[in-house]
Every structure is written in C-alpha cells, then in structure tokens.
Amino acid sequence: MARFAMAAANPGATPGSSFIDEILRANAEFAEGETARGLPGPAGYRGAIVLCMDARIDPIQVLGLPPGTAHIIRNAGGRMAEALRSIAISQQMMGTREVAVVHHTECGMTTFTSDSLRLRLREELGADASTIDFLAFNDLAESVREDVRIYRASAIVRQDIPVRGFIYDIRTGRLHEVTS
Amino acid sequence: MARFAMAAANPGATPGSSFIDEILRANAEFAEGETARGLPGPAGYRGAIVLCMDARIDPIQVLGLPPGTAHIIRNAGGRMAEALRSIAISQQMMGTREVAVVHHTECGMTTFTSDSLRLRLREELGADASTIDFLAFNDLAESVREDVRIYRASAIVRQDIPVRGFIYDIRTGRLHEVTS
C-alpha cells in the first residue's frame, strides 16, 4: 500500500471519543477476522438499489443481499435524481439489470422543506443554498413514484429492465411495493 | 400501511430468477425474525460516511457501525461532490459531527473515463451524456484528497468538525488513512 503515500490508520494511537477513531478500532478487529478474507471478485452483479442513508437501516441485512450481487446507492431520502450517474456506471460497467428504489417510514426527509433547511443553513453557517434542491418530501408513496418516473425519463440508464419502487416499514422490517 | 396506497409485496407470488423477487423473499424472512423488531429510534447520530456503492463492501460490518450512529452515503466511487446535499441534511437535521470519505482498492471507477463511458452510452442507448461528469479517477489517494478538498470548499457543510479520508483495502479489509 506504500504507493498510495498514506499513513496506515493506527486505531490505538488516538484514544478518546472520536467516532471515526472508534470506527478505526472496529475496522482493525474486522480486518483480523475471517470475514475480511476471501471476498468475492467482481462477478454476479445483478441489481442496483437506491435507498436512504438512514442510520437505522442495514440494507444488506434487510434485503438479504449476497456479497457481490448489488450496488447499493444511498443518499438523503434515497432519491433517484442523485443516483442516475451511479446507475449508469453500474449498468454499463458492471452489467446490472434490475433497479429498486426504496424510501422508508419515519424518514427524516419528511421533517423539513428545502426552504426551511436553506433558512437554517443561512442562520447556522451563513451559507447561500438558494440554488440547491434538498429533495425533501412528505408523501412517501408519491416520492417513490416520482423517483421511478425520474428513472424512466433519463436517457443515460437502460429502459429495457425492471425498475420497481418500495416503501420499507422501519417498524416491521418489511418492504411494500408501491404501485403506479 | 393502507394509507400509502400500495400493494404489500408478495414474495411468494412471483417465482423465477428476478433479483428483486429474491430480495423480497429475503426481506420477508428478515421481517419475521427478531432483528427487525426493536430498532433504535433517531438518537445517537454521530457521523456521516461517504463510500462507494461497490457490491463487495458491507460498510456496517467493515466499520463495525452500531445501529443508529452513522449516515451512510454511497455512490459510484464514494464521491463527495454528490454527497454534500446529504451531509448538510445529516448535520443540520440529525446533528452528526464527523465525516469520513472512503475510496477503495480495485474500484471500478478506475477502469474507465467519463469520455469512454459517454461513448459507450451513445453506442448502447443513443444517449447524449456530454454534460455529465461521471467522476471516474485513477489515483486513489488523490481522489480521496480531492474529495476532502471539495468538502472543505463547500459552504453548506460544517467546517468546524473533523473530515478524514481513507482508502479501504478490499483484500485485507483494512482502512488506511490518507494524509494530506
């Protein structure tokens, strides 16, 4: 790894409560274990999944994803507009042939509007975010349908494959398909 | 869930080899299990992590992330330019106070260029992607440094918190910090 001109992370060197330092300690344990070895090569890519960054959702567990099968694209809300670049790469370079978009109950994206966040950013950071759409929403099923429509309107992604939308119920752990 | 006007996903109804159908069957098993219950509420958010959509990486396992602590933002390459909206929301709405950006060895983003992908999209889909930067890269450490710089140049994210960059070695499972 020397050619990357970087320092090996030394999780023991920085005691304290830093979250990233805790991650580094956890990663050092992971790297010592069996799971870190024998990772699959780039084969068997089947689908791309777009979902929210929410800290309570572990998509690999929730969706039972075998390693090496799905590209997982996550952003605030699980919004398609910000996922098209990644999906185009997933399809053209890695050959995925299905897309799922998943929004979820109790999502933070329903608790604010672009305008309220812009105001907050001006107050907190003095930032002008007037040109940024923060992609908040308040109707979960409609936001899923909108994201399927955004996919279907894009020229850079395949239109000859299944694209399906879901709501994940964070209380029951269950996916519900959104019909158009 | 009736108010969402959606059909309950019925994983038993569609036999066959569809990837999404397989996910639905796995999710039904997950929802029956103990893990799906008692998910933590929105408390304890500590950091936001930006990393690649790569199908071989399970960040929750690799980074030992306790549920409810980290927003996980994933896109092709783990690029910061496409993560700033999500990080602003993470910080302002959920109070995260650290940021890590993680690129990884053997990344597909090093196997093409924006130009080569644009050509392919024109050939395969007849798409004009001339205005899209696909954010490919060929120097891992430099792409991490670039993404830290992009964060530091943004007005909509906090500049009074730690922002650290890493390379994840997919062979060893270990994070290596990228020094500036």
Side-chain angles (χ1 to χ4, degrees), chain A residues 36-56:
Chain A
R37 288 185 280 279
L39 287 167
Y45 294 122
R46 300 184 65 194
I49 298 165
V50 183
L51 78 163
C52 187
M53 68 179 178
D54 192 286
R56 298 164 294 172

Side-chain angles (χ1 to χ4, degrees), chain A residues 27-144:
Chain A
N27 173 252
E29 278 188 36
F30 169 78
E32 292 298 318
E34 288 294 325
T35 316
R37 288 185 280 279
L39 287 167
Y45 294 122
R46 300 184 65 194
I49 298 165
V50 183
L51 78 163
C52 187
M53 68 179 178
D54 192 286
R56 298 164 294 172
I57 301 174
D58 178 349
I60 289 175
Q61 188 181 38
V62 163
L63 307 176
L65 297 174
T69 58
H71 291 121
I72 302 176
I73 300 156
R74 303 187 69 170
N75 61 48
R79 300 316 308 262
M80 184 64 75
E82 215 172 56
L84 294 168
R85 175 189 70 91
S86 296
I87 294 174
I89 292 168
S90 172
Q91 293 176 344
Q92 296 301 324
M93 307 310 297
M94 273 75 91
T96 58
R97 292 292 177 267
E98 296 188 50
V99 174
V101 56
V102 183
H103 296 179
H104 68 93
T105 59
E106 302 180 36
C107 184
M109 297 295 284
T110 64
T111 65
F112 65 95
T113 64
S114 282
D115 275 343
S116 69
L117 182 51
R118 286 185 200 114
L119 181 62
R120 188 179 168 103
L121 285 166
R122 191 168 47 191
E123 289 171 353
E124 292 284 325
L125 304 180
D128 175 9
S130 56
T131 62
I132 300 173
D133 184 347
F134 286 99
L135 305 175
F137 51 82
N138 52 39
D139 181 324
L140 269 178
E142 183 48 35
S143 68
V144 170

Side-chain angles (χ1 to χ4, degrees), chain B residues 40-106:
Chain B
Y45 294 122
R46 301 184 64 193
I49 298 166
V50 182
L51 79 163
C52 188
M53 67 178 179
D54 192 287
R56 298 165 293 173
I57 302 173
D58 179 349
I60 289 175
Q61 188 180 39
V62 163
L63 307 176
L65 297 174
T69 57
H71 290 122
I72 302 177
I73 300 156
R74 303 187 70 170
N75 62 46
R79 300 317 308 262
M80 185 62 76
E82 216 172 54
L84 294 169
R85 174 189 71 92
S86 296
I87 294 173
I89 292 168
S90 171
Q91 293 176 345
Q92 296 301 324
M93 306 311 297
M94 273 74 93
T96 59
R97 292 292 177 267
E98 297 188 50
V99 174
V101 56
V102 182
H103 296 179
H104 68 92
T105 59
E106 303 181 35

